[in-house]
């Protein structure tokens, strides 16, 4: 077995390596996507109701509800985009640190100890599936 002097470890830092935060963000975005789908269905229903409204009072009720749902959609979208950006930045930081450690190991003729490759691939796939 090699001594730790013969290895270069990847230090990905507390933010990039915080898998529980990553998974929490993933769950938040997934919940937001479900909510956006529900809100989209509501918008479609409200547009139909609006087209069929028989009087001004009914039109006003539908219009108010439409505004509320649109506001909700915009809020969910902004929140999801911010979370996805954070997740992407953490992955980028992890990749950069991994490359740095690889170069350092190579230049020092040491073994590259890489616990992050697999994790990074999973995180990248997760992010890609969320942004589809």
């Amino acid at each position: 077995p090699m001594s730790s002097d013969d290895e270069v470890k990847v230090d990905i830092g507390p933010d990039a390596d915080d898998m529980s935060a990553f998974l929490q963000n993933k769950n938040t975005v997934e919940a937001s996507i479900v909510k956006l789908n529900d809100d989209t269905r509501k918008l479609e229903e409200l547009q139909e109701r609006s087209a069929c409204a028989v009087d001004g009072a009914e039109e006003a009720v539908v219009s108010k509800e439409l505004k509320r749902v649109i506001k909700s959609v915009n809020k969910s979208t902004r929140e999801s985009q911010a979370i996805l950006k954070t997740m992407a930045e953490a992955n980028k930081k992890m990749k950069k640190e991994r490359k740095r450690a690889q170069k350092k190991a190579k230049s020092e003729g040491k073994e590259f100890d890489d616990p992050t490759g697999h994790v990074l691939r999973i995180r990248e796939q997760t992010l890609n599936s969320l942004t589809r």
Side-chain angles (χ1 to χ4, degrees), residues 28-53:
T28 302
V29 171
E30 285 173 339
S32 188
I33 290 169
V34 168
K35 187 178 182 328
L36 281 167
N37 288 336
D38 289 345
D39 283 347
T40 302
R41 274 192 295 282
K42 280 183 203 162
L43 281 174
E44 289 167 356
E45 289 168 16
L46 287 167
Q47 285 169 334
E48 278 180 36
R49 276 180 54 198
S50 177
C52 301

Side-chain angles (χ1 to χ4, degrees), residues 90-103:
N91 283 7
K92 195 173 174 182
K93 182 178 176 183
M94 187 186 257
K95 264 189 199 163
K96 195 175 179 181
E97 179 53 36
R98 191 168 173 262
K99 259 196 181 110
R100 188 206 57 76
Q102 251 172 336
K103 271 186 186 168

Side-chain angles (χ1 to χ4, degrees), residues 4 6 18 46 49 52 63 65 68 70 72 84-85 87 102 105-106 118 124-125 132:
S4 60
D6 297 327
D18 190 355
L46 287 167
R49 276 180 54 198
C52 301
S63 179
E65 184 64 10
R68 189 196 64 73
I70 288 169
S72 171
L84 288 168
K85 185 178 177 193
M87 292 169 79
Q102 251 172 336
K106 192 175 180 181
H118 182 66
E124 288 291 316
Q125 289 167 353
R132 252 188 278 129

Side-chain angles (χ1 to χ4, degrees), residues 40-88:
T40 302
R41 274 192 295 282
K42 280 183 203 162
L43 281 174
E44 289 167 356
E45 289 168 16
L46 287 167
Q47 285 169 334
E48 278 180 36
R49 276 180 54 198
S50 177
C52 301
V54 287
D55 61 20
E58 190 178 346
E59 181 65 41
V61 168
V62 172
S63 179
K64 188 176 179 182
E65 184 64 10
L66 266 171
K67 284 179 186 163
R68 189 196 64 73
V69 175
I70 288 169
K71 195 173 177 180
S72 171
V73 165
N74 290 337
K75 183 175 185 263
S76 294
T77 302
R78 276 194 310 275
E79 288 171 356
S80 291
Q81 286 172 335
I83 291 170
L84 288 168
K85 185 178 177 193
T86 300
M87 292 169 79

